[in-house]
Amino acid sequence: MNAAPRIQTTAGRLAALGFADGARAERLLDELGPEAVGDLALLDDLVGAADPDLALTTLSRLVERDPSVLGTFRADPDLRRRLLGVFGLSAALGEHVVRHPECLPSIQWTRWPALGDLREEMLLAVGADPDTAEPVAEPAADGVTAGPGTPSTSGTPGPAMEALRVAYRNRLLHLATRDVTGECTLAEVAAALADLASVALEAALAVARAEVADAGDVRLAVIGMGKCGARELNYISDVDVVFVAEPKEGVDETKALQTATRLAQGMMRACSASTPEGALWEVDANLRPEGKMGPLVRSMESHLAYYRRWAKTWEFQALLKARPVAGDLELGQQYVAAVNELVWQAAARPKFVEDVQSMRRRVEAHVPAGEADRQIKLGPGGLRDIEFAVQLLQLVHGRSDPLLRRRATLSALAALSRGGYVGRDDAKALAEAYTFLRQVEHMLQLHRLRRTHVVPADTADLRRLGRGLGMTTDPVGEFTTTWKRHALEVRRLHEKLFYRPLLQAVARLPETEARLSTAAATARLEALGYADPEGALRHIAALTSGVSRRAAIQRTLLPVMLGWFADAPDPDAGLLGFRQVSDKLGTTPWYLRLLRDETAVAERLAHLLGTSKYVTGLLLHAPEAVAMLGSPAELAVRPAATLAAEAAAAVGRHAEDAETAVAAVRALRRRELLRTACADLSGLIDIEEVGQALSSLNDVTIQAALDTAINKVTLERRAPFPTRVAVIAMGRLGGLESSYASDADVMFVHAPLPGAAERDATGAAHAVAEETRRLLALPAPDPPLQIDAGLRPEGRQGPLVRTIASYRAYYDRWASHWEAQALLRARFCAGDTELGREFVALVEPLRYPAGGISADAVREIRKLKARMEAERLPRGADPALHTKLGRGGLSDVEWVAQLIQLRHAGTVPALRTTRTLDALRAAAGEGLIDPADEEVLAQAWLFASRIRDALMLVRGRAADSIPTPVKERVLLARALGYPLEGTEDFVEDYRRATRRARAVVERVFYED
């Protein structure tokens, strides 16, 4: 049996349309009469309101008071739609209309009156002459009953205050109807509210003049502050003001200030006093000098004296919004012009940025705990986050950029974005969030015309807010999601912008340095130590000239970066490098945004460019690598396994083209060389970690080139590759002690596959070794990796590649002492892993002889070392300053370690390492060398290694000796962390370290 069809009641249909209480809505519609019940257009407008129930309730009360309203609505559908829209949001304005139905004609106009017309309307309402603002008539006891221009004729301040309130709320209602129907933007609404407040203040001042004798003896200006001053006022907000007064000619100043004080008090009372029509709002004068404890009214001179001597940082922040709004506007303009000169210099005050940041934290800390997550003004992600960030950026950058000197938040934010101080996307996100939060704030306040910034928890209230914002599917859910999304984004951007280190750096610049005028820049460049100020000015002009966004951001960055370049060893090279990198990346969207928003990147970049030609050269070939300077984590040495996988993938992508494949691997190596150099110069890794990182990177590069070469030779042979190949690292590469300038000392070994002819296998292995060397040495923008096989058996006269059997035969019969010593650093680095292990096992007995080397071998090694000292040191080189072959240098320390290994590693396994310092530490641990001697040798080796690497980093080319020219020594010393005046200390420190090491070498190595 089928269920009977469900018959929907009228109440049910009304509930489905959006009424929360369908039965009550049905009853109220019935009470309106049959014409209302059948008026579908009326029903549509009610349903379209934010709160249909509230709109219908207010309409019912209004019709009860004035039945003609329904006829008016039928005759003017636009009026009906606008008014019902307000009724659905604002119970308070609905109450006003019910109490004053005569106000309806005034809101039939869609145009908002000009400021002069508003002023005339309010002054007439309180019985004042619009031309003089002096009281001349009495307003009617029941206030304004028609439109603007209605004269009033009352006598006492009481009726005048009531008339002011009625006239004000009529205009407030008019504005709200335009707001809720989307006829004006948030900025237009906020500006209209501020204008309405200013004319209300003017009218209130006229009321006060009627009460104060001698009111004509003083010029009184009312200065709007906060949102009133910025023309971004809320529907209900305290109106912040400051009073400034001057006596008329011939009037005693003390008496004039007393009169002005009574006028100010009367004006405040006329706005805030309770009347049958309620109050307008509180007039808050607490932003005046000394706050509540200071005099209510001061003269211009008194104001300026206070601000020059006593004002706190927050007071200048408040003055940013100052604007004459009532009273003597000429005096007000003079006041604002005078204080503006102080406002835009406030950022140069000590700890200005820190003070503003501290103030924001204090404001946030005072938000009641139960409200913090629902406060759209003071809480995290609220309006104050946006306003404080914008104001701080304005105050810091506005002293040198007049285009930022705007009072309104959205206008200032747009100027900051146009000027490049805030990224476009960030500015857009902040503007959208600000607009959303202000709209919510307006709707919260419209409901009861009460000052509130707390989002309610009640579902009905949230539903009204959501529907008021056009969210109809799921008003509560959509509103909450949107609000939280904006709050999170605001908080993120606030912390990014408000705590941007660049702000502190710019704020600390003297005024003459914040703007890059030619004369000021030349003087500053000379004072900072630029060797070629005129050349530097050309670079600055190239970077900052024009009206592009790029030039605007550079004008913000460069005054600060010039100081950072000056802190580097070579400011001129730093600025030149910055221009070159910027020329390559200046049109790239992220580059300047990164430098502006992540100040650590800009400062680190300035230091690197001003220190290292090597880094500059790498950056110019891969400028996008600037992005890695963002954090220490980005500069961390990457694991060898990760690099190997990336290199293998690059080779795989270009399997058909060997040169392209290795070019991709060399580009990877260039990037990692840059990462290591930046980490090194930034003090994030020590010299041992540098050596290990560079050696591992070279291993990965050789492996990728070897794989590419094998693939190429295999394709050329059109037959399977007949042998296994391994690369054995030697020298500094084998010891994991590579420097930036190191070649790759290696030996190639191969083992024919079963069934392969040895001659064929050797030919294939030789072709692979030669191709590997060729690919890594090809001319390219990337640093080459020279493969040096000179340490192989028979040296350069011997075959480039040998079989494992050939190596065994050679070492069994012909190996010399120096070859055993060289094999101490032998380490498998690329190719066939098993073959590499086999080779290492093969040479173990040779380099770690069971009983140690003979006395004759020791003497032979000492003679060889002495001959090298005499013959291999370059002609003219100072033995005390040559880091490799000089006295106490790298060679001295390494030969000590190697001799100990040759004599004792056969019986002391701890000595079996390819690394110099590890061998020395093991020797000290085993009692084979005095720990104090080990420390001396290690310090000298580390110092010499740092200098050798620093020479490459600073000059961009390899060198082994500490340079003689003073300038080069200064640059080297600064790169090593010595102060400008510490160059000679650096040289003496090195001499001292190597002198002590040489003494240990004489005693331990030569047994002298």
Side-chain angles (χ1 to χ4, degrees), residues 604-624:
R604 184 172 283 133
L605 179 63
H607 170 69
L608 293 170
L609 294 175
T611 301
S612 173
K613 290 183 179 179
Y614 182 78
V615 166
T616 302
L618 292 175
L619 270 177
L620 289 177
H621 291 300
E624 67 280 356

Side-chain angles (χ1 to χ4, degrees), residues 564-775:
W564 289 336
F565 288 131
D567 291 336
D570 192 343
D572 298 84
L575 182 55
L576 171 61
F578 181 68
R579 178 184 175 184
Q580 292 170 328
V581 172
S582 295
D583 285 345
K584 286 182 175 288
L585 283 177
T587 57
T588 306
W590 58 264
Y591 168 61
L592 290 176
R593 182 172 67 239
L594 177 70
L595 298 186
R596 179 198 61 211
D597 294 347
E598 304 293 340
T599 314
V601 177
E603 187 169 5
R604 184 172 283 133
L605 179 63
H607 170 69
L608 293 170
L609 294 175
T611 301
S612 173
K613 290 183 179 179
Y614 182 78
V615 166
T616 302
L618 292 175
L619 270 177
L620 289 177
H621 291 300
E624 67 280 356
V626 169
M628 74 171 61
L629 303 181
S631 70
E634 286 289 324
L635 295 178
V637 175
R638 300 176 69 202
T642 303
L643 295 177
E646 189 173 343
V651 169
R653 285 193 299 271
H654 306 287
E656 302 301 319
D657 186 341
E659 293 186 3
T660 303
V662 172
V665 174
R666 287 176 62 181
L668 181 152
R669 179 172 179 266
R670 174 193 60 213
R671 185 194 69 203
E672 297 308 316
L673 284 172
L674 176 62
R675 191 190 309 275
T676 303
C678 292
D680 183 2
L681 289 168
S682 300
L684 301 175
I685 54 176
D686 61 30
I687 191 64
E688 287 190 83
E689 292 170 313
V690 170
Q692 187 158 359
L694 295 175
S695 300
S696 296
L697 179 58
N698 288 342
D699 287 355
V700 169
T701 307
I702 293 169
Q703 179 69 65
L706 181 69
D707 290 342
T708 303
I710 290 174
N711 183 62
K712 181 180 179 183
V713 170
T714 301
L715 291 173
E716 290 173 348
R717 287 167 52 87
R718 298 184 181 179
F721 196 68
T723 188
R724 295 180 295 143
V725 179
V727 182
I728 307 302
M730 303 288 285
R732 298 185 73 82
L733 176 61
L736 295 170
E737 298 162 352
S738 294
S739 68
Y740 297 103
S742 291
D743 291 342
D745 290 314
V746 303
M747 295 194 299
F748 293 96
V749 57
H750 81 103
L753 295 173
E758 183 173 327
R759 183 171 182 177
D760 181 51
T762 298
H766 188 274
V768 163
E770 288 288 11
E771 181 64 9
T772 301
R773 297 172 71 184
R774 184 188 76 85
L775 290 171

